Amino acid sequence: VIGTDPSDVDVYSTTRHGPGATLSTRQGFNSAYFKYADWPYDCTKQAFRHAIHQIQSDERWLGALEDSYRERFSIPKHFILNQDVFWENVLNVVEGNKITFVPKSYKIDRTIAIEPTLNLYLQLGVDGFIRSRLKRWSINLDDQRKNQKLAREGSQCDGTTSFVTLDLAAASDSISLKLCKQLLPPLWYRYLVDLRSPKGDLRDKTFHYEKISSMGNGYTFALESLIFGALVYGVIRNKRGFVDTSQFAVYGDDLIVPKDIASDVI
């Protein structure tokens, strides 16, 4: 679905700032305007070189950043900048993300993590790329109508042929580093590891993640959809010898599959 090497495809064309908070944003200042303007930008050590490559690939961003840098430090407009010093001042290296909670229902909260600004920016590039590739396999993460249609058919069936819905518990927590290392092409695995946050801070404690990413990481939803979609696809092909993509739906951990293969998927 995604190829063998992220450098062979244009993952940088789909990078973007999301609407939510990042480590360095202030409350109420979450739009892309402020995320571009407020530097130094947070990023992890592993993402540092990818962040430089991303900024350098956008002449407008790099030019505006250099102008802002000269203005902040009273450097003459056309003075040649020391690149090492420039990047050390523009990028602020952090160890990981910040764990917090948001309402899941009126009873309980959901654990999420607030990512470093440029990590999230790059992660959303992976998200956009995986989304575009999954559409070739009839998995459209930008449209839930297929899931809704199959769920309705499953609820209305007479017991002969039907669909069942599978909703996984703590799905993103189950996508471990080792699972990804086994399933993904090595260069893709290395790239995703570079963009993730290896640690998370919760008040005065620091946790080392064994999962590839948490809710809040920009590529979590697309990656779990890719993995669960591959699982469903593989089970159907193994059981039936062919795959009719109209007969299953994947939207994150919301899976809809034919009733006769549900136990195998589980």
Side-chain angles (χ1 to χ4, degrees), residues 235-244 247 258-261:
V235 169
I236 294 176
R237 186 171 62 181
N238 185 56
K239 291 285 287 186
R240 297 181 174 180
F242 69 96
V243 179
D244 180 352
Q247 297 298 298
K259 186 175 182 180
D260 63 299
I261 67 135

Side-chain angles (χ1 to χ4, degrees), residues 125-175:
V126 174
D127 171 81
F129 175 74
I130 294 177
R131 283 172 183 261
S132 68
R133 288 300 182 96
L134 282 174
K135 288 177 182 177
R136 302 179 181 185
W137 300 84
S138 192
I139 297 175
N140 187 354
L141 302 182
D142 300 319
D143 188 347
Q144 292 191 62
R145 284 179 296 179
K146 183 180 179 183
N147 284 65
Q148 294 165 349
K149 174 178 178 291
L150 295 186
R152 184 178 68 248
E153 289 181 19
S155 68
Q156 295 174 342
C157 81
D158 58 6
T160 52
T161 57
S162 67
F163 298 100
V164 298
T165 60
L166 306 175
D167 189 8
L168 284 69
S172 61
D173 294 337
S174 71
I175 309 298

